[in-house]
Amino acid sequence: MEAVLVNVNEFQELARQALPKMYYDYFRGGAEDEQTLKENVEAFQRITIRPRILVDVSRTDLSTTVLGYKISAPILIAPTAMHKLAHPEGEVATARAAAACNTIMILSYMSTCTVEEVASSCNGVRFFQIYVYKKRDVTANLVQRAERCGYKAIVLTVDTPRLGRREKDIKNKMVAPQLKNFEGLISTAVSSDEGSNIEEFAKSTFDASLSWKDIGWLRSITKLPVLVKGVLTHEDAIKAVEVGVDGIVVSNHGARQLDYAPSTISVLEEVVGAVKGKVPVLFDGGIRRGTDVFKALALGAQAVLIGRPAVYGLAAKGEYGVKRVIEMLKDELDLTMALSGCPTLNHISRNHVRTENERPRSML
């Protein structure tokens, strides 16, 4: 008799059992010593919740909007690459799960299904994540294809002038498939005798000269709103607002880029304070429980993104697994809100959490 899954973390072990070691290591792994990878999750454990009592929570409402699009809960699917390494249906299955849960999927530039395949697979709100390549026409082509296919926003990843050193991929000599989005544009079949061919591909194609002025270039090729993903400091948050972005994603790339960068939850409040409500701030990194979602919202995020949990669900049980991951987090968030005295998301405030070095409020 199959064991009953009771939380999102249990999908990781099922994914480990289901996947070849090379692919499991690719999805699970982080940069170098993986200190930031560990800290992304553990930093949440040092934040406590301050529940309020005797509040009417007979009805709770998790719904919200992101860039004007209403979703059932503040939980989006983060852009993660190459879903067909996790499951034969790839990003199409993930997109269907997101649509069934009435939330937004951010499709990765490095997806194994084309932007057109995902767009035609189901009705739903989707954003498209991009990198900028040395050959700018490749990026422009994909942005314009996404816009024609009805994607609602462009999410520019800004923390990857070079690919972080992912030592498990190097040891495994990680081999990525040819990516269908790039057929006729650029070859992703880069060989490397010494390590990961993903690292070699990134080195040969990613534009390390990308800078703030290029936000203007991106705006010139699309009418869609532009969000930047990879902001970790108040200085960069202020600059992003100054150059006119439509939103910010606080992210350290799932701890896959710069090891010993801070956990994202530890800098969220710094970024939110710098933005001062001028654009929405989304959060990415380390979400494993509904209590994590609650804490991120209390510290100022409008919504959170989930990456690895969705991929683990996909690897374990396909489209159904992704849906269960989203539903589990929604159910846990709903319970956390009820037990904390918050009938709606608007009731969640900074007063509902205490960070590690913060004194009890009775002492302030």
Side-chain angles (χ1 to χ4, degrees):
M1 184 174 177
E2 187 176 4
V4 176
L5 298 173
V6 297
N7 62 59
V8 164
N9 289 314
E10 294 181 345
F11 280 96
Q12 181 170 350
E13 176 58 22
L14 293 182
R16 188 190 66 78
Q17 295 171 15
L19 295 176
K21 182 178 185 300
M22 176 186 291
Y23 296 162
Y24 174 74
D25 284 352
Y26 168 73
F27 288 123
R28 191 214 68 83
E32 297 185 353
D33 296 329
E34 299 187 339
Q35 176 63 27
T36 299
L37 179 65
K38 181 175 70 171
E39 191 60 12
N40 264 3
V41 173
E42 292 184 358
F44 276 101
Q45 298 167 11
R46 296 190 293 272
I47 300 171
T48 53
I49 296 172
R50 302 180 69 245
R52 301 303 303 274
I53 59 173
L54 294 177
V55 178
D56 181 357
V57 290
S58 56
R59 294 183 181 180
T60 51
D61 182 4
L62 279 64
S63 66
T64 188
T65 60
V66 173
L67 296 185
Y69 298 101
K70 188 168 183 178
I71 53 178
S72 63
I75 303 167
L76 284 65
I77 300 294
T80 47
M82 298 185 288
H83 285 198
K84 281 193 176 182
L85 299 185
H87 188 274
E89 293 184 344
E91 290 81 5
V92 164
T94 308
R96 287 175 176 158
C101 294
N102 189 22
T103 194
I104 296 168
M105 175 187 179
I106 306 175
L107 180 68
S108 170
Y109 196 68
M110 306 290 285
S111 68
T112 39
C113 299
T114 67
V115 293
E116 292 83 4
E117 287 171 336
V118 174
S120 63
S121 67
C122 58
N123 291 324
V125 177
R126 282 174 289 273
F127 298 169
F128 185 56
Q129 174 267 335
I130 65 164
Y131 298 100
V132 174
Y133 282 5
K134 294 173 183 177
K135 292 179 66 176
R136 293 286 176 96
D137 58 330
V138 174
T139 298
N141 175 283
L142 278 164
V143 167
Q144 290 159 0
R145 282 165 58 189
E147 186 168 353
R148 287 196 299 270
C149 288
Y151 291 72
K152 302 302 184 184
I154 300 298
V155 179
L156 172 65
T157 295
V158 293
D159 59 8
T160 316
R162 300 182 188 177
L163 202 69
R165 184 175 175 82
R166 303 165 190 176
E167 295 178 357
K168 286 185 173 60
D169 291 348
I170 295 170
K171 286 183 177 181
N172 291 333
K173 295 190 175 182
M174 173 65 188
V175 177
Q178 176 73 22
L179 301 176
K180 292 173 66 178
N181 269 326
F182 299 105
E183 288 180 358
L185 297 173
I186 190 172
S187 174
T188 55
V190 179
S191 63
S192 173
D193 296 331
E194 308 244 331
S196 164
N197 79 333
I198 297 175
E199 184 177 356
E200 288 300 309
F201 172 71
K203 189 184 299 183
S204 64
T205 56
F206 285 12
D207 187 353
S209 75
L210 189 71
S211 64
W212 288 110
K213 63 179 174 56
D214 294 308
I215 300 296
W217 168 78
L218 182 55
R219 286 196 169 285
S220 75
I221 64 170
T222 182
K223 296 177 181 176
L224 296 177
V226 172
L227 296 83
V228 292
K229 177 176 179 286
V231 176
L232 293 173
T233 65
H234 73 272
E235 295 95 337
D236 284 340
I238 291 169
K239 187 66 176 177
V241 172
E242 287 175 350
V243 301
V245 304
D246 299 288
I248 286 172
V249 183
V250 175
S251 172
N252 57 27
H253 211 110
R256 295 162 74 82
Q257 280 298 102
L258 177 65
D259 201 15
Y260 296 93
S263 67
T264 42
I265 196 64
S266 71
V267 298
L268 173 59
E269 199 167 19
E270 173 184 337
V271 173
V272 169
V275 168
K276 297 179 179 176
K278 294 175 183 175
V279 298
V281 176
L282 308 182
F283 175 86
D284 169 59
I287 297 289
R288 298 294 184 271
R289 285 283 191 179
T291 48
D292 298 337
V293 181
F294 183 93
K295 292 170 185 179
L297 298 177
L299 291 172
Q302 184 174 352
V304 305
L305 280 55
I306 56 168
R308 287 184 180 88
V311 172
Y312 294 151
L314 180 67
K317 293 182 177 293
E319 179 184 335
Y320 171 78
V322 181
K323 284 195 289 189
R324 283 299 299 137
V325 164
I326 298 170
E327 288 166 354
M328 283 179 172
L329 290 173
K330 286 173 63 175
D331 289 345
E332 289 179 2
L333 174 60
D334 182 62
L335 180 60
T336 302
M337 289 169 59
L339 295 178
S340 301
C342 298
T344 72
L345 299 182
N346 288 335
H347 286 86
I348 303 174
S349 73
R350 181 61 179 82
N351 287 332
H352 282 96
V353 293
R354 181 180 296 136
T355 55
E356 182 180 14
N357 297 318
E358 191 175 1
R359 289 181 295 165
R361 295 191 174 264
S362 62
M363 298 171 61
L364 297 179

Coordinates of all heavy atoms in Angstrom, one line a residue, residues 168-208:
K168 N 28.3 19.3 -8.6 CA 27.7 18.0 -8.9 C 27.5 17.9 -10.3 O 27.7 16.8 -10.9 CB 26.4 17.9 -8.1 CG 26.5 17.7 -6.6 CD 25.2 17.5 -6.0 CE 25.4 17.1 -4.5 NZ 26.0 18.1 -3.7
D169 N 27.1 18.9 -11.0 CA 27.0 18.8 -12.5 C 28.3 18.6 -13.2 O 28.4 17.8 -14.2 CB 26.4 20.1 -13.1 CG 24.9 20.3 -12.6 OD1 24.3 19.3 -12.1 OD2 24.4 21.4 -12.8
I170 N 29.4 19.2 -12.6 CA 30.7 19.0 -13.2 C 31.2 17.5 -13.0 O 31.6 16.9 -13.9 CB 31.7 19.9 -12.6 CG1 31.4 21.4 -12.9 CG2 33.2 19.6 -13.0 CD1 32.2 22.4 -12.1
K171 N 31.0 17.0 -11.8 CA 31.3 15.6 -11.5 C 30.5 14.6 -12.4 O 31.0 13.6 -12.8 CB 31.2 15.3 -10.0 CG 32.2 15.9 -9.1 CD 32.0 15.5 -7.7 CE 33.1 16.1 -6.8 NZ 32.9 15.7 -5.4
N172 N 29.2 14.9 -12.5 CA 28.4 14.0 -13.3 C 28.5 14.2 -14.8 O 27.9 13.4 -15.5 CB 26.9 14.3 -12.9 CG 26.6 13.8 -11.5 OD1 27.2 12.9 -10.9 ND2 25.6 14.5 -10.9
K173 N 29.3 15.2 -15.2 CA 29.4 15.6 -16.6 C 28.0 15.7 -17.2 O 27.6 15.1 -18.2 CB 30.2 14.5 -17.4 CG 31.6 14.5 -17.0 CD 32.5 13.6 -17.9 CE 34.0 13.7 -17.5 NZ 34.9 12.9 -18.3
M174 N 27.2 16.6 -16.6 CA 25.8 16.8 -16.9 C 25.6 17.2 -18.4 O 26.3 18.1 -18.9 CB 25.3 17.9 -16.0 CG 23.9 18.4 -16.3 SD 22.6 17.1 -16.0 CE 21.2 17.9 -16.7
V175 N 24.7 16.4 -19.0 CA 24.4 16.6 -20.4 C 23.0 17.1 -20.5 O 22.1 16.4 -20.1 CB 24.7 15.4 -21.2 CG1 24.3 15.6 -22.7 CG2 26.1 14.9 -21.1
A176 N 22.8 18.2 -21.2 CA 21.4 18.8 -21.4 C 21.0 18.4 -22.8 O 21.8 18.3 -23.7 CB 21.4 20.3 -21.2
P177 N 19.7 18.2 -22.9 CA 19.1 18.0 -24.3 C 19.1 19.2 -25.1 O 19.2 20.3 -24.6 CB 17.7 17.5 -24.0 CG 17.3 18.3 -22.7 CD 18.6 18.3 -21.9
Q178 N 19.0 19.0 -26.5 CA 18.8 20.2 -27.4 C 17.5 20.8 -27.0 O 16.5 20.1 -26.8 CB 18.8 19.7 -28.8 CG 18.5 20.8 -29.8 CD 19.6 21.8 -30.0 OE1 20.8 21.5 -29.7 NE2 19.3 23.0 -30.5
L179 N 17.5 22.1 -26.8 CA 16.3 22.8 -26.4 C 15.5 23.3 -27.6 O 16.0 24.0 -28.5 CB 16.6 24.0 -25.5 CG 17.4 23.6 -24.2 CD1 17.8 24.8 -23.5 CD2 16.6 22.7 -23.3
K180 N 14.2 22.8 -27.7 CA 13.4 23.1 -28.9 C 13.2 24.6 -29.2 O 13.0 25.0 -30.3 CB 12.1 22.3 -28.8 CG 12.3 20.8 -28.9 CD 10.9 20.1 -28.6 CE 9.9 20.3 -29.7 NZ 8.7 19.6 -29.4
N181 N 13.1 25.4 -28.1 CA 12.9 26.8 -28.3 C 14.0 27.4 -29.3 O 13.7 28.4 -29.9 CB 12.9 27.5 -27.0 CG 11.6 27.6 -26.4 OD1 10.5 27.7 -27.1 ND2 11.5 27.6 -25.1
F182 N 15.2 26.8 -29.3 CA 16.3 27.5 -30.0 C 16.5 26.9 -31.4 O 17.5 27.2 -32.1 CB 17.6 27.3 -29.2 CG 17.5 28.0 -27.8 CD1 17.3 27.3 -26.7 CD2 17.5 29.4 -27.8 CE1 17.2 27.9 -25.4 CE2 17.4 30.0 -26.5 CZ 17.2 29.3 -25.4
E183 N 15.7 25.9 -31.8 CA 15.8 25.3 -33.1 C 15.8 26.3 -34.2 O 14.9 27.2 -34.3 CB 14.8 24.2 -33.3 CG 15.0 23.0 -32.5 CD 13.9 21.9 -32.7 OE1 13.0 22.2 -33.5 OE2 14.0 20.8 -32.1
G184 N 16.8 26.3 -35.0 CA 16.9 27.3 -36.1 C 17.5 28.6 -35.7 O 17.7 29.5 -36.5
L185 N 17.8 28.8 -34.4 CA 18.4 30.0 -33.9 C 19.8 29.8 -33.4 O 20.7 30.6 -33.7 CB 17.5 30.6 -32.7 CG 16.1 30.9 -33.0 CD1 15.3 31.3 -31.7 CD2 16.0 32.1 -34.0
I186 N 20.0 28.8 -32.6 CA 21.3 28.6 -32.0 C 21.4 27.1 -31.5 O 20.4 26.6 -31.1 CB 21.5 29.6 -30.8 CG1 23.0 29.5 -30.3 CG2 20.6 29.3 -29.7 CD1 23.3 30.6 -29.2
S187 N 22.6 26.5 -31.6 CA 22.7 25.2 -31.1 C 23.0 25.2 -29.6 O 23.9 25.9 -29.1 CB 23.8 24.5 -31.9 OG 24.1 23.2 -31.3
T188 N 22.3 24.3 -28.9 CA 22.7 24.1 -27.5 C 23.5 22.8 -27.2 O 23.7 22.4 -26.1 CB 21.4 24.0 -26.6 OG1 20.5 23.0 -27.1 CG2 20.7 25.4 -26.6
A189 N 23.9 22.2 -28.4 CA 24.7 20.9 -28.3 C 26.1 21.3 -28.1 O 26.9 21.1 -29.1 CB 24.4 20.1 -29.5
V190 N 26.5 21.7 -26.9 CA 27.9 22.1 -26.7 C 28.6 20.9 -25.9 O 28.0 20.4 -24.9 CB 28.0 23.4 -25.8 CG1 29.5 23.7 -25.5 CG2 27.3 24.5 -26.5
S191 N 29.7 20.5 -26.4 CA 30.4 19.3 -25.8 C 31.5 19.8 -24.8 O 32.1 20.9 -25.1 CB 31.0 18.4 -26.8 OG 32.0 19.0 -27.5
S192 N 31.6 19.1 -23.7 CA 32.7 19.4 -22.8 C 33.3 18.1 -22.2 O 32.5 17.3 -21.7 CB 32.2 20.3 -21.6 OG 33.2 20.5 -20.7
D193 N 34.6 17.9 -22.4 CA 35.2 16.7 -22.0 C 35.5 16.8 -20.5 O 35.7 15.8 -19.8 CB 36.5 16.4 -22.7 CG 36.3 16.2 -24.2 OD1 35.2 15.7 -24.5 OD2 37.2 16.5 -25.0
E194 N 35.5 18.0 -19.9 CA 35.9 18.2 -18.5 C 34.8 18.3 -17.5 O 35.0 18.3 -16.3 CB 36.8 19.4 -18.5 CG 37.9 19.4 -19.5 CD 39.3 19.3 -18.9 OE1 39.4 19.8 -17.8 OE2 40.1 18.7 -19.5
G195 N 33.6 18.5 -17.9 CA 32.5 18.8 -17.0 C 31.2 19.0 -17.6 O 30.8 18.3 -18.6
S196 N 30.4 19.9 -17.1 CA 29.0 20.1 -17.5 C 28.9 20.8 -18.8 O 29.5 21.9 -19.0 CB 28.3 20.9 -16.4 OG 27.1 21.4 -16.9
N197 N 28.1 20.3 -19.7 CA 28.0 21.0 -21.0 C 27.0 22.2 -20.9 O 27.0 23.1 -21.7 CB 27.5 20.0 -22.1 CG 26.0 19.7 -22.1 OD1 25.4 19.7 -21.1 ND2 25.5 19.4 -23.3
I198 N 26.2 22.2 -19.8 CA 25.4 23.4 -19.5 C 26.3 24.6 -19.2 O 26.0 25.7 -19.6 CB 24.4 23.1 -18.3 CG1 23.5 22.0 -18.7 CG2 23.7 24.3 -17.9 CD1 22.6 21.5 -17.6
E199 N 27.3 24.3 -18.4 CA 28.3 25.4 -18.0 C 29.0 25.9 -19.3 O 29.1 27.1 -19.5 CB 29.3 24.9 -17.0 CG 30.3 25.9 -16.6 CD 31.2 25.4 -15.5 OE1 31.1 24.2 -15.1 OE2 32.1 26.2 -15.1
E200 N 29.3 25.0 -20.2 CA 30.0 25.4 -21.4 C 29.0 26.2 -22.3 O 29.4 27.2 -22.9 CB 30.5 24.2 -22.2 CG 31.7 23.5 -21.5 CD 32.9 24.5 -21.4 OE1 33.2 25.1 -22.5 OE2 33.4 24.6 -20.3
F201 N 27.8 25.8 -22.4 CA 26.8 26.5 -23.2 C 26.6 27.9 -22.7 O 26.6 28.9 -23.4 CB 25.5 25.7 -23.2 CG 24.3 26.5 -23.9 CD1 24.3 26.7 -25.2 CD2 23.3 27.0 -23.1 CE1 23.3 27.4 -25.8 CE2 22.3 27.7 -23.7 CZ 22.3 27.9 -25.1
A202 N 26.5 28.0 -21.4 CA 26.3 29.4 -20.8 C 27.5 30.3 -21.0 O 27.3 31.5 -21.4 CB 26.0 29.2 -19.3
K203 N 28.7 29.7 -20.9 CA 29.9 30.5 -21.1 C 30.0 31.0 -22.5 O 30.4 32.2 -22.7 CB 31.1 29.6 -20.8 CG 32.4 30.4 -20.7 CD 33.6 29.4 -20.5 CE 33.5 28.7 -19.2 NZ 34.7 27.8 -19.0
S204 N 29.5 30.2 -23.5 CA 29.6 30.7 -24.9 C 28.5 31.6 -25.3 O 28.6 32.2 -26.4 CB 29.7 29.4 -25.8 OG 28.5 28.7 -25.7
T205 N 27.4 31.6 -24.6 CA 26.2 32.3 -25.1 C 25.7 33.5 -24.2 O 25.2 34.5 -24.8 CB 25.0 31.4 -25.3 OG1 24.8 30.7 -24.1 CG2 25.3 30.3 -26.4
F206 N 25.8 33.4 -22.9 CA 25.3 34.4 -22.0 C 26.1 35.7 -22.2 O 27.3 35.7 -22.3 CB 25.3 34.0 -20.6 CG 24.3 33.0 -20.2 CD1 23.5 32.3 -21.1 CD2 24.0 32.7 -18.8 CE1 22.6 31.4 -20.8 CE2 23.1 31.8 -18.5 CZ 22.4 31.1 -19.4
D207 N 25.3 36.9 -22.2 CA 25.9 38.2 -22.4 C 26.4 38.8 -21.1 O 25.6 39.3 -20.3 CB 25.0 39.1 -23.1 CG 25.6 40.4 -23.5 OD1 26.7 40.7 -23.2 OD2 24.9 41.2 -24.2
A208 N 27.7 38.7 -20.8 CA 28.2 39.2 -19.5 C 28.3 40.7 -19.5 O 28.6 41.3 -18.4 CB 29.6 38.6 -19.2

